[in-house]
């Protein structure tokens, strides 16, 4: 797709594999992480177009740390989580806009719908002057 990579932060290997395979199948360069700190370290080198974040892997901590990084302030984040209503209430309490959440997908989610949404968020967020990929 020519853009920066999409980061997938998911601790459940089967779910991470499904997400990586689906995103790759539509042309995204995907980098996947089973640990939030690994992704935060990688953002020092490469700024993704978007991050998919599982909230069960200490998502609020990772999201807060991401937003404190200069490069992480504007990265769109789509939450994918099995926490359901509990998650929605927590996000609502903190304010999705304040946290920079572009969307929430509860597990199990529909892959084609998620892929369309990822594409629309990336297209909507095509930021002129956004940091270039460091290779």
């Amino acid at each position: 797709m020519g853009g920066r990579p999409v980061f997938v932060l998911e601790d459940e290997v089967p779910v991470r594999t499904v997400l990586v395979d689906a995103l790759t199948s539509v042309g995204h360069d995907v980098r996947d992480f089973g640990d939030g700190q690994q992704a935060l370290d990688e953002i020092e080198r490469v700024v993704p177009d978007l991050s998919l974040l599982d909230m069960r892997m200490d998502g609020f901590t990772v999201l807060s740390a991401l937003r404190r990084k200069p490069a992480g302030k504007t990265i769109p984040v789509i939450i994918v989580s099995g926490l359901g209503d509990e998650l929605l209430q927590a996000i609502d309490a903190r304010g999705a806009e304040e946290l920079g959440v572009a969307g929430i997908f509860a597990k199990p989610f529909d892959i084609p719908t998620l892929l369309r949404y990822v594409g629309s968020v990336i297209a909507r967020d095509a930021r002129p002057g956004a940091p270039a990929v460091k290779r």
Side-chain angles (χ1 to χ4, degrees):
M1 294 202 127
R4 294 177 306 266
V6 171
F7 281 10
V8 174
L9 292 81
E10 170 63 59
D11 60 345
E12 293 180 56
V13 175
V15 176
R16 189 167 69 230
T17 300
V18 166
L19 288 169
V20 169
D21 290 349
L23 290 161
T24 302
S25 76
V26 295
H28 292 288
D29 171 19
V30 181
R31 308 223 179 140
D32 63 300
F33 307 90
D35 173 272
Q37 189 57 53
Q38 292 173 331
L40 293 169
D41 292 343
E42 183 68 7
I43 286 170
E44 298 298 324
R45 293 178 287 283
V46 177
V47 178
D49 272 336
L50 174 125
S51 289
L52 295 175
L53 173 63
D54 175 24
M55 295 308 279
R56 285 193 190 219
M57 57 184 292
D58 206 11
F60 283 118
T61 302
V62 172
L63 187 54
S64 295
L66 175 67
R67 295 303 182 219
R68 286 192 301 272
K69 290 182 170 287
K73 292 185 186 306
T74 60
I75 298 168
V77 173
I78 296 174
I79 292 172
V80 290
S81 186
L83 296 178
D85 290 340
E86 181 183 327
L87 170 67
L88 295 175
Q89 290 170 1
I91 291 291
D92 188 48
R94 289 181 172 220
E97 189 172 324
E98 178 184 315
L99 291 170
V101 174
I104 300 169
F105 279 78
K107 294 176 189 172
F109 44 82
D110 180 66
I111 292 291
T113 302
L114 177 65
L115 292 175
R116 281 192 301 277
Y117 194 76
V118 164
S120 71
V121 169
I122 290 173
R124 180 172 65 228
D125 191 61
R127 300 163 282 180
V133 174
K134 296 178 184 176
R135 301 210 186 258

